[in-house]
Amino acid sequence: MSRIIGANILLVTLRPTLVMLCLSLLWFPGQNRHLHAVTKISPIFQVSPELKPRVDFWQNIFLRYGDNTFVIHDRDYPWIVIDYVFFAQIARSKNKPHLLNRKQQQLIMERYLKRLNRGLKRFAKNHTKALSHHKIERKIFTAYHTSPELLDRLITGQAVIRAQRGLADSFLYAARQAQDYLPYFEREFREVGTPIELTRLAFVESMFNPRAISKVGASGMWQFMRATAQHYLQVNKNIDERHSPFKAARAAAT
């Protein structure tokens, strides 16, 4: 078993749906610069019926909703969508270009999530009587009343929501960038017998950004943690080969 699987075991454990999506979705040859092939599904990675709603959700996040769009959804059932916020449309219609500023968007979304969470608390306290409070409560109910299980989740206070920014713009930019790296990555993986589809994990890890640094200290396009990288790469106070896409790819494939 290749070390890339070991290096990404935590990622696979925490985000299996996202990994499955990228492995199945990103099936285009490294030398192919035509992005229309990006949605072709590899026969190697099939999506189970149980995962399909989750994969569909993330496929929309990566391919349908641009970076100025937020999808507000249930944390554990992401296909249960409460609302969409299209900042590009709002900015254009109201002539407010400042709404395209990411910090401004984040502040607005934080306030909106607080309001929605107050609505969730009303359902936990008053059950369906919360519907008479405001249209936001009605919007929440519309999302959750589609099945007894989901409705019970709402009125027992188990529903937790979050806002996910769309990634379509970033993803397509990364897909274009990836074309410069994938031929080399695929050759490295092929030489050591690692499935070349796993080169697409660089999308999950960093969106093919060699300067990516995570909150927990993982670095580079392949997001090696320092302790793991030191087994395969030169990492010290003067040199950090995690930021070399090619050396790090060789380490990931080994």
Side-chain angles (χ1 to χ4, degrees):
M1 182 177 294
S2 67
R3 290 194 182 98
I4 190 171
I5 296 178
N8 285 284
I9 190 168
L10 180 60
L11 175 74
V12 173
T13 301
L14 296 179
R15 293 186 287 167
T17 304
L18 195 53
V19 173
M20 176 64 77
L21 170 64
C22 286
L23 291 178
S24 62
L25 187 65
L26 300 169
W27 177 244
F28 54 96
Q31 70 274 17
N32 181 4
R33 294 180 180 272
H34 299 288
L35 294 179
H36 68 268
V38 76
T39 56
K40 185 176 179 181
I41 301 297
S42 166
I44 297 176
F45 298 99
Q46 293 300 313
V47 179
S48 69
E50 293 78 15
L51 277 179
K52 190 174 187 308
R54 298 176 185 272
V55 170
D56 288 346
F57 170 82
W58 285 107
Q59 183 167 330
N60 284 332
I61 292 297
F62 274 87
L63 294 178
R64 182 176 180 182
Y65 301 119
D67 290 15
N68 287 306
T69 298
F70 279 85
V71 182
I72 301 172
H73 64 95
D74 187 274
R75 183 191 64 188
D76 300 316
Y77 299 81
W79 61 92
I80 303 302
V81 174
I82 291 89
D83 202 3
Y84 301 90
V85 180
F86 300 99
F87 279 107
Q89 294 180 14
I90 297 170
R92 186 167 54 250
S93 63
K94 296 188 176 183
N95 194 25
K96 293 183 176 181
H98 69 279
L99 292 178
L100 298 180
N101 178 278
R102 287 208 166 200
K103 288 185 177 179
Q104 182 69 22
Q105 291 175 358
Q106 200 64 43
L107 289 172
I108 292 171
M109 292 309 302
E110 286 174 4
R111 290 198 296 267
Y112 191 23
L113 282 174
K114 285 182 180 179
R115 173 63 185 89
L116 287 166
N117 278 314
R118 289 199 298 270
L120 291 176
K121 288 179 180 178
R122 287 193 179 92
F123 277 104
K125 181 179 180 180
N126 303 318
H127 297 178
T128 55
K129 291 180 181 178
L131 280 167
S132 62
H133 186 78
H134 192 269
K135 64 180 180 180
I136 287 182
E137 279 71 21
R138 294 193 290 274
K139 185 173 292 188
I140 293 171
F141 184 78
T142 298
Y144 282 95
H145 87 292
T146 54
S147 77
E149 178 188 1
L150 290 172
L151 186 57
D152 181 71
R153 179 176 174 80
L154 175 63
I155 64 177
T156 58
Q158 298 178 61
V160 180
I161 61 173
R162 64 181 298 273
Q164 172 64 50
R165 184 188 290 275
L167 295 168
D169 301 324
S170 297
F171 182 75
L172 289 180
Y173 175 79
R176 294 186 184 98
Q177 294 293 102
Q179 303 307 296
D180 295 328
Y181 295 106
L182 284 174
Y184 175 85
F185 291 173
E186 289 179 357
R187 184 169 66 251
E188 289 290 319
F189 278 54
R190 191 178 290 111
E191 285 180 0
V192 299
T194 304
I196 64 170
E197 291 82 4
L198 292 177
T199 59
R200 277 58 174 176
L201 281 170
F203 278 98
V204 181
E205 300 282 13
S206 67
M207 285 285 193
F208 275 83
N209 177 9
R211 295 181 295 277
I213 300 175
S214 78
K215 294 179 181 178
V216 296
S219 260
M221 188 177 289
W222 294 91
Q223 289 290 282
F224 275 101
M225 294 295 289
R226 186 181 185 89
T228 303
Q230 287 175 333
H231 292 289
Y232 317 111
L233 300 165
Q234 191 171 355
V235 181
N236 54 50
K237 63 180 181 180
N238 298 315
I239 299 173
D240 190 342
E241 291 184 338
R242 291 179 295 173
H243 295 285
S244 167
F246 304 108
K247 290 182 179 179
R250 190 178 303 121
T254 303

